[in-house]
Each structure stands twice: as structure tokens, then as C-alpha cells.
């Protein structure tokens, strides 16, 4: 067996040889003639000259050996629906969906926006797009009209695929009215909307624009839609993520590099084998859902569970904190992927639930998306008795940057650390102010990646190369390096520890949100003069958003009932614009916000005060009394 150190070194020192070998893990219609084109940094083109297709590698490729094996297992504890699609069934459904999209005018290169709950049709739609060379943009179903509208505007989709409703805790959440409102708000209008009708909520159909999947599916029952052979560098999808500005970034990914990266990660990191079952509890609206609910497991020939519902609700819709373990037992899940928040939720359940089911099929549980605290890691590790593997990555990277590659060499994990740099990632720590590389163990710096970034990594920001370069690659004076915007330290064994974001991004229950977007929504309230939103540590969700608002008319607050009403109004506004996920836990009214003398908002100082920490160096602060007022408000709560 190769040592991981050698494996890693080869990936960095001889990327062409390394990735040419990984390239053999997938099917190519035409082999590539150049492995890595890095002629124009930081842009990198992987596997140039090659022709392939993501859907072919996820579905068609397996028809020869495993047509009747389970591919997609759609389980909903919201509706009680549980259905297994074999690779052959999936192939049929995807072709029906592909033919329906084509009938609605979708062609290669067109965008299709997918705004859907966790139902099988969402996966059909993604795979159908990949099949015909359309670019999918999945928008998380928990986002509301404002977020959705800005994404429609940016992606300019020809067609939108959606549903009547999602469901949470047994309560239907209508999607269609939010979608209609988003289309109304957007200056771009789609030609058509394709809707899955789950009979959860009534829908008003717009004549000529809205179509029902149930009907088109019948029309295209026997459709045969071959895979479009695409350049390895052709765009497979975009996925929006938050950054420092209010405008979300369309992270754009290629076809060949992404397929290879996922195939390689399934082997070297997740150690998932064809014929087994993979269960990721994420959502297709997030990058984890793209890579490790839909594409990764299927590429590896595994069955993948697509689960709609809470981790604490049974198939009979009654409370059941063992539902996930029930699924592990029933479908003999070998590899599971979740987030620390979910484990913290389960930790509150009866510990006997972990002993009630036969979990002997499980080999490992992967956790990502937010820092994994030691008590949570220990609790689940003792309960499951399998390795708990923390992995650190981003929407931008598409697959883990830091973790342990047990498929290459078994290595111990360390509590609190996601692990070591993965093959292909030349990870460095830089001094925040000077940009100098930090090489001594234990020094805190900014985590950066030197180019060329590996296959699967974002190509650029959709339609904005210069924003891509400026936002990610030009933040360190004199250097062109990819900035993760995370703080980190490295120990003497080369293990990294992630210490949170350097920018205004917050992480609520593993969901990445931009505080600027929340601030923009709150600023839209007529009474609001100024607002600062910060992320504050929370025992369950990791972080929650906290809003500090300066009102136009401070006298309003003399009446405490008015303050309560205003807080509710502001929260409702955020719900309507962005979705309940972004709703601040509290809105506090203050007479001023702490700023530097040059007027820059001191979010980090507010955050420190909220968390009871020292606010640090306040010499640049304009008026320290302002911070004292925030301290008093927080203390009084
Ligand atoms: O701050 C890091 C945190 O989540 C950010 C990326 O979020 P997102 O784009 O939604 O991608 C999630 C993919 C798993 C990172 O910049 N983060 C992610 N994983 C970890 C983490 N922080 C600590 N430990 C992790 N394992």
C-alpha cells in the first residue's frame, strides 16, 4: 500500500501523472489530450480535449453490470413515501425528464434552475440537465422569494423546475407562491416552469408557462435521450453561495474534472464501494447534496438515500429520534455523511436509540460544514463505534480540502481537527497582515490554496471572471493564492485546525449565510436607519445571526410593545426575503453602531461582545461608549 504522504507528494509534484491516473476512474467518450492546462493562472482547465458526460458516469455506465441494483432510494418521513429506483428505473426517469426539458425548449448550455424539496424528481432534474448538457442551478428550497429572485436574475434560466410544496415537521411549505413572487421580482422571466405536484398545497398554474411533470412524464414515457458528449471543460452546473457582498456568487464547475474528482474521492476518502449504500443527510440545495447525495455515490455505483424530513420524525410521522439509524439498518448503509448540528440534535434523544438498531453495516460517519466540537465527536464515536471523520471544504472546492484519506492509508483522526490536506490541494497558512507563509506549528493564519487548484474545484464565478480573480485570488498583497477566508493553525504532525471565518460569512446549523444579505433585507424596513448582523456562538446550531438595529426614530422605543412589534416585523421581513434560516435569533435596538474613525463597521467587536469575549484592540474605534451600550443590551437579555 502507498503511504498517504507519497500519494499526496505525487499529486503536488507531478499533477499531470497523478490526475491522468485518476482520470481512468471514469468513462471517456474521447480521451483527454492534456491533463492540466494552467497557462493562464488562476484559471485551470482539466482534461482538455476529453469528451465525457456526468450523467453517463452516474447512471448509464452502470446499466451493464447493475441495472437492477438500487440507485436512488427516496425516503420521506414527511409524506411517508419510500421508493427505490434501480439504475434502470433511474435511467428511464432521467430520460423522461430530459425529454420534457427539451420539449420546453432547453438546449445544451441553457440554464435550468431547480427549486425543489428533497424528492426524487429533484435528482432526476439534475441528472437530466447533465445528460443534455444544460447547466443546472439548484437553489435551496428553504430560501424565499428575494434570494430566489436574485438567483433567477443572475442565472437567466430558460426553465425552472419546482414543486407545489416542501414539508417540514408534517407541515406543508408551499413553494409555488414563493416562486411566482420571485419570478415577478426578477427582470428575467423563464420560458417555462415544470412542476411536480405532490398534492401538498394547491397551485395556480400560469397558462402557457406552467407545466405539470406528471403530464409531461406520461407524454415522454418511452423517451430515449442519449447523453450529449461534452468537453471536459464544459460547465456542468452553478451553485450560489454567500460571500462578503450582498450579491451571491454563482460558483461554476466543469464536467470532466468534477466527475474525476468525485470518483477519486469516493475511492480514496469515502471508501464507498459499488453495490453498497451511501446516506448523506444534506440537501440538494447545498454543495454536499450535489457531490455526495446525487453525483458521487452514483458515479461509484452505490445506492444513495435521498431523505426528506427531520432527523427526529419517523415514517409514521410520529416523533422518532432513531429514523436515520432505522434507515442505516434497513438499507445496510456503509458510509454516512452528516453535519455536526444534526449530531447535536440527536444527542438530545434517548441514547438507547443507538443500540436499538443493527448498525453493523456502517464503516464510517463523515461530518462536515462547520467545526466539529469534541464532546459531539466523542458522543457519536462511542455510540456508533466507527471512525467519525471530520472533513473541511467549501462550496467552491466541491470535495474535501482537509480530511483523512483512509482509502489510501489508514490514519488516526485527531479530535478538533478535520485532518491533513487532501491530494491535489497545496494548502498553506499565511500571516494575516504580511502575507508571509507560516511554517512553525501552532501559528494562526489564513488558510490559502496555491494554484493550480485540483479537478472539481470551481472554474470561476458564473459570468464574472474578474470577480473570481479579485474576490478569491488577489487578497494577499504580492501573491496570487486562493483565499478560503478561514482561519487555521497546523500542528507538528501537519494536522490543521479551523478557527472560523475571516469574513462576514456565518454558519448556522452548517448552512452558510452572508450577514450582508441579512443586513440588506433588514435595511429595507422603513424604520431602520442602520443595521449590523453578526454570527454568535450557539450550543446547538454552531452560530446564530444576531441583528443590531439603529432606528430612524429612536423615540419609537420608549414604548416596549412597539419594540416587540418591530422585532417581529423585521424577522418576518427576513423570512419573506431570504427564508427562515436567515432569520436573526434576536433583533436588538441600539442608538449607534461601533465603527472605526473612517466609518467601517466593527462587526468583529460586536461579535466578541455578544460572545462575552474581549473585543480586542479598540484604538481605531470612533466612540467606545457605543460598544458599551451593546454590551449592556446583551447583558440585560
Ligand atoms: O468556514 C468553513 C466551514 O464552512 C465553510 C464552507 O461552507 P460551504 O460553502 O457551505 O461548504 C460546506 C461544504 C462541507 C468553510 O469555509 N466549514 C466547512 N467544513 C468545516 C468547516 N469548518 C470547520 N470544520 C469543518 N469540517
Amino acid at each position: 500500500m502507498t503511504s498517504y504522504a507519497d500519494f499526496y507528494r505525487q499529486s503536488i509534484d507531478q499533477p499531470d501523472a497523478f490526475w491522468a491516473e485518476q482520470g481512468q476512474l471514469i468513462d471517456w467518450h474521447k480521451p483527454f489530450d492534456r491533463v492540466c492546462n494552467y497557462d493562464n493562472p488562476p484559471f485551470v482547465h482539466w482534461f482538455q480535449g476529453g469528451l465525457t458526460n456526468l450523467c453517463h458516469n452516474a447512471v448509464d455506465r452502470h446499466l451493464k453490470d447493475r441495472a437492477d441494483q438500487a440507485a436512488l432510494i427516496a425516503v420521506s418521513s414527511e409524506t411517508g413515501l419510500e421508493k427505490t429506483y434501480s439504475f434502470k428505473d433511474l435511467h428511464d426517469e432521467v430520460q423522461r425528464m430530459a425529454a420534457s426539458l427539451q420539449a420546453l425548449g432547453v438546449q445544451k448550455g441553457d440554464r435550468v434552475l431547480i427549486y425543489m424539496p428533497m424528492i426524487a424528481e429533484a435528482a432526476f432534474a439534475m441528472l437530466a440537465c447533465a445528460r443534455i448538457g444544460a447547466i443546472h442551478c439548484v437553489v435551496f428550497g428553504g430560501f424565499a422569494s428575494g434570494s430566489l429572485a436574485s438567483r433567477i436574475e443572475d442565472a437567466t434560466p430558460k426553465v425552472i423546475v419546482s414543486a407545489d410544496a416542501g414539508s417540514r415537521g408534517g407541515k406543508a411549505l408551499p413553494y409555488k407562491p414563493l416562486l411566482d413572487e420571485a419570478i415577478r421580482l426578477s427582470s428575467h422571466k423563464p420560458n417555462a416552469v415544470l412542476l411536480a405536484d405532490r398534492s401538498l398545497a394547491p397551485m395556480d398554474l400560469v397558462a402557457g408557462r406552467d407545466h405539470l411533470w406528471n403530464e409531461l412524464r406520461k407524454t415522454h414515457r418511452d423517451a430515449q435521450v442519449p447523453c450529449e458528449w461534452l468537453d471536459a471543460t464544459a460547465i456542468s452546473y452553478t451553485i450560489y453561495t454567500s460571500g462578503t457582498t450582498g450579491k451571491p456568487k454563482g460558483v461554476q464547475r466543469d464536467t470532466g474534472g468534477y466527475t474525476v474528482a468525485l470518483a477519486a474521492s469516493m475511492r480514496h476518502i469515502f471508501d464507498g464501494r459499488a453495490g453498497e449504500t451511501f446516506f448523506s443527510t444534506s440537501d440538494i440545495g447545498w454543495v454536499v447534496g450535489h457531490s455526495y447525495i446525487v453525483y458521487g455515490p452514483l458515479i461509484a455505483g452505490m445506492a444513495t438515500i435521498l431523505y426528506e424530513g427531520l432527523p427526529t420524525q419517523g415514517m409514521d410521522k410520529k416523533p422518532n429520534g432513531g429514523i436515520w439509524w432505522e434507515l442505516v439498518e434497513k438499507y445496510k448503509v456503509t458510509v454516512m455523511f452528516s453535519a455536526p448540528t444534526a449530531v447535536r440534535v440527536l444527542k438530545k434523544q434517548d441514547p438507547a436509540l443507538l443500540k436499538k438498531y443493527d448498525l453493523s453495516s456502517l464503516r464510517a460517519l463523515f461530518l462536515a460544514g462547520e467545526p466539529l466540537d469534541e464532546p459531539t465527536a466523542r458522543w457519536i464515536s462511542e455510540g456508533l463505534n466507527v471512525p467519525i471523520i471530520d472533513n473541511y471544504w467549501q462550496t467552491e472546492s466541491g470535495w474535501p480540502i482537509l480530511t483523512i484519506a483512509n482509502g489510501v492509508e489508514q490514519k488516526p483522526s485527531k479530535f478538533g481537527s478535520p485532518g491533513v490536506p487532501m491530494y491535489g490541494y497545496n494548502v498553506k497558512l499565511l500571516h494575516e497582515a504580511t502575507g508571509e507563509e507560516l511554517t512553525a506549528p501552532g501559528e494562526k493564519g489564513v488558510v490559502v490554496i496555491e494554484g493550480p487548484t485540483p479537478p472539481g474545484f470551481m472554474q470561476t464565478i458564473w459570468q464574472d471572471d474578474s470577480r473570481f480573480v479579485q474576490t478569491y485570488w488577489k487578497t494577499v498583497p504580492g501573491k496570487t493564492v486562493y483565499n478560503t477566508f478561514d482561519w487555521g493553525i497546523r500542528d507538528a504532525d501537519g494536522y490543521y485546525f479551523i478557527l472560523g471565518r475571516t469574513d462576514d460569512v456565518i454558519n448556522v446549523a452548517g448552512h452558510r449565510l452572508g450577514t450582508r444579505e441579512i443586513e440588506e433585507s433588514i435595511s429595507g424596513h422603513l424604520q431602520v436607519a442602520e443595521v449590523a448582523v453578526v454570527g454568535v456562538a450557539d450550543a446547538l446550531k454552531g452560530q446564530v445571526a444576531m441583528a443590531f438595529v439603529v432606528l430612524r426614530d429612536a423615540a419609537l422605543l420608549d414604548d416596549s410593545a412597539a419594540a416587540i412589534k418591530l422585532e417581529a416585523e423585521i424577522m418576518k421581513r427576513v423570512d419573506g426575503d431570504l427564508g427562515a434560516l436567515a432569520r436573526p435569533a434576536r433583533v436588538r435596538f441600539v442608538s449607534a453602531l461601533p465603527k472605526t474613525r473612517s466609518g467601517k463597521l466593527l462587526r468583529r467587536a460586536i461579535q466578541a461582545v455578544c460572545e462575552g469575549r474581549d473585543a480586542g484592540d479598540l484604538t481605531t474605534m470612533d466612540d467606545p461608549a457605543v460598544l458599551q451600550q451593546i454590551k449592556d443590551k446583551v447583558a440585560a437579555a
Side-chain angles (χ1 to χ4, degrees):
M1 198 187 210
T2 5
S3 78
Y4 181 72
D6 290 346
F7 189 78
Y8 177 75
R9 269 282 43 102
Q10 199 212 358
S11 77
I12 301 299
D13 296 343
Q14 299 156 320
D16 278 7
F18 181 89
W19 287 108
E21 197 181 326
Q22 304 305 319
Q24 305 314 314
L25 292 170
I26 70 160
D27 274 4
W28 294 92
H29 181 66
K30 172 181 172 289
F32 45 91
D33 15 74
R34 191 168 175 195
V35 182
C36 177
N37 171 347
Y38 198 46
D39 296 347
N40 179 26
F43 299 95
V44 47
H45 307 286
W46 287 100
F47 304 112
Q48 248 179 2
L51 292 178
T52 187
N53 182 289
L54 196 43
C55 182
H56 167 85
N57 279 286
V59 182
D60 301 44
R61 185 188 189 191
H62 304 299
L63 292 176
K64 191 162 80 50
D65 296 329
R66 49 189 80 253
D68 297 322
Q69 182 205 297
L72 183 71
I73 303 169
V75 182
S76 171
S77 61
E78 295 291 334
T79 60
L81 212 70
E82 187 166 359
K83 186 165 166 148
T84 297
Y85 298 85
S86 66
F87 276 99
K88 179 170 182 318
D89 298 335
L90 185 58
H91 186 240
D92 290 343
E93 293 292 354
V94 169
Q95 293 189 91
R96 289 169 192 147
M97 182 65 84
S100 304
L101 292 174
Q102 284 177 331
L104 297 175
V106 176
Q107 293 175 356
K108 182 174 162 179
D110 285 341
R111 272 79 54 217
V112 173
L113 189 139
I114 299 174
Y115 178 62
M116 292 193 99
M118 288 287 285
I119 53 175
E121 286 80 358
F124 303 160
M126 291 168 74
L127 289 160
C129 288
R131 189 169 193 88
I132 61 178
I135 300 166
H136 62 67
C137 322
V138 183
V139 176
F140 176 56
F143 281 132
S145 307
S147 304
L148 184 54
S150 62
R151 285 153 176 82
I152 296 173
E153 193 99 51
D154 193 70
T156 60
K158 193 169 251 180
V159 170
I160 296 181
V161 186
S162 190
D164 57 340
S167 179
R168 198 172 165 78
K171 193 168 156 266
L173 302 169
Y175 278 25
K176 181 66 166 47
L178 298 182
L179 175 62
D180 285 340
E181 171 64 4
I183 295 175
R184 193 188 66 75
L185 289 170
S186 164
S187 65
H188 171 84
K189 313 287 176 197
N191 287 5
V193 175
L194 181 59
L195 293 149
D197 186 357
R198 315 174 68 195
S199 304
L200 289 178
M203 282 196 284
D204 291 328
L205 298 186
V206 175
R209 187 197 75 181
D210 295 353
H211 303 264
L212 290 172
W213 158 244
N214 293 347
E215 285 170 13
L216 281 183
R217 182 175 177 272
K218 270 188 226 136
T219 314
H220 300 285
R221 242 208 108 67
D222 302 316
Q224 302 225 324
V225 182
C227 287
E228 182 85 33
W229 297 112
L230 301 170
D231 284 335
T233 55
I235 308 169
S236 59
Y237 68 77
T238 64
I239 174 169
Y240 287 88
T241 193
S242 310
T244 299
T245 67
K247 188 177 184 299
K249 297 178 288 227
V251 167
Q252 176 182 314
R253 235 183 280 294
D254 72 359
T255 297
Y258 185 53
T259 313
V260 171
L262 291 183
S265 71
M266 289 306 296
R267 173 171 295 195
H268 306 309
I269 300 174
F270 296 98
D271 191 19
R273 304 166 200 165
E276 299 179 344
T277 307
F278 195 100
F279 179 19
S280 166
T281 68
S282 183
D283 188 287
I284 47 136
W286 307 109
V287 70
V288 178
H290 284 64
S291 294
Y292 299 111
I293 294 178
V294 180
Y295 292 118
L298 293 177
I299 288 170
M302 297 179 83
T304 183
I305 297 182
L306 183 105
Y307 175 76
E308 176 186 51
L310 303 171
T312 51
Q313 180 174 287
M315 293 303 288
D316 53 5
K317 301 186 196 172
K318 296 206 184 102
N320 176 2
I323 178 69
W324 286 357
W325 314 125
E326 196 177 307
L327 295 176
V328 169
E329 176 183 275
K330 179 164 179 188
Y331 295 105
K332 300 197 170 41
V333 172
T334 56
V335 188
M336 195 166 164
F337 192 130
S338 192
T341 295
V343 177
R344 287 192 292 266
V345 168
L346 293 176
K347 205 171 150 193
K348 298 189 169 207
Q349 305 290 312
D350 181 359
L353 283 170
L354 277 168
K355 301 278 168 270
K356 191 173 153 196
Y357 301 95
D358 175 7
L359 306 179
S360 58
S361 58
L362 199 62
R363 280 198 301 271
L365 169 65
F366 289 83
L367 296 174
E370 54 181 323
L372 174 60
D373 56 287
E374 191 167 334
T376 303
R378 278 197 194 281
W379 177 80
I380 193 69
S381 162
E382 281 158 18
L384 291 178
N385 206 16
V386 297
I388 304 302
I389 305 177
D390 189 355
N391 54 120
Y392 160 86
W393 46 295
Q394 306 183 309
T395 305
E396 290 83 345
S397 72
W399 59 283
I401 299 170
L402 299 171
T403 186
I404 304 289
N406 278 337
V408 181
E409 184 195 356
Q410 297 273 335
K411 278 196 150 230
S413 293
K414 289 191 190 190
F415 280 121
S417 164
V420 299
M422 283 299 95
Y423 50 91
Y425 287 104
N426 195 359
V427 182
K428 300 262 158 81
L429 284 176
L430 302 186
H431 187 276
E432 184 196 16
T434 65
E436 260 168 79
E437 189 179 341
L438 305 175
T439 48
E443 284 184 288
K444 177 179 168 181
V446 180
V447 181
V448 302
I449 301 166
E450 263 182 25
T453 47
F457 204 88
M458 75 188 291
Q459 290 179 300
T460 185
I461 292 177
W462 166 250
Q463 299 216 310
D464 206 341
D465 286 349
S466 95
R467 187 173 177 207
F468 171 63
V469 175
Q470 293 309 322
T471 305
Y472 292 109
W473 293 86
K474 293 287 177 197
T475 56
V476 180
K479 287 196 176 149
T480 302
V481 286
Y482 173 84
N483 193 337
T484 63
F485 299 102
D486 278 303
W487 296 111
I489 54 172
R490 185 177 46 228
D491 72 6
D493 301 325
Y495 283 65
Y496 281 74
F497 294 77
I498 298 295
L499 309 171
R501 298 280 302 194
T502 66
D503 60 3
D504 300 327
V505 165
I506 61 171
N507 197 320
V508 179
H511 302 312
R512 174 168 163 185
L513 299 170
T515 49
R516 285 289 171 87
E517 284 167 80
I518 307 176
E519 286 173 2
E520 279 177 20
S521 168
I522 295 177
S523 303
H525 190 289
L526 283 177
Q527 299 292 350
V528 173
E530 255 192 311
V531 54
V533 172
V534 297
V536 176
D538 179 86
L540 185 66
K541 296 181 175 177
Q543 277 188 314
V544 290
M546 205 66 90
F548 291 88
V549 168
V550 180
L551 292 174
R552 286 187 196 283
D553 176 7
L556 272 176
L557 292 182
D558 295 342
D559 171 3
S560 64
I564 292 169
K565 187 165 159 269
L566 263 179
E567 178 172 23
E569 272 176 29
I570 288 173
M571 288 189 178
K572 198 161 158 234
R573 195 178 168 89
V574 176
D575 279 5
D577 278 350
L578 308 177
L581 193 64
R583 182 200 304 154
R586 282 305 308 267
V587 179
R588 301 199 189 285
F589 300 101
V590 289
S591 59
L593 294 171
K595 293 190 185 151
T596 60
R597 270 174 229 118
S598 57
K600 201 174 160 298
L601 197 56
L602 286 164
R603 288 193 186 74
R604 276 193 220 173
I606 306 179
Q607 185 188 32
V609 161
C610 291
E611 293 179 348
R613 288 183 285 114
D614 180 35
D617 180 13
L618 298 178
T619 45
T620 58
M621 187 176 295
D622 187 30
D623 177 7
V626 170
L627 199 62
Q628 188 57 44
Q629 188 197 4
I630 291 185
K631 233 182 230 174
D632 296 343
K633 285 262 170 184
V634 173

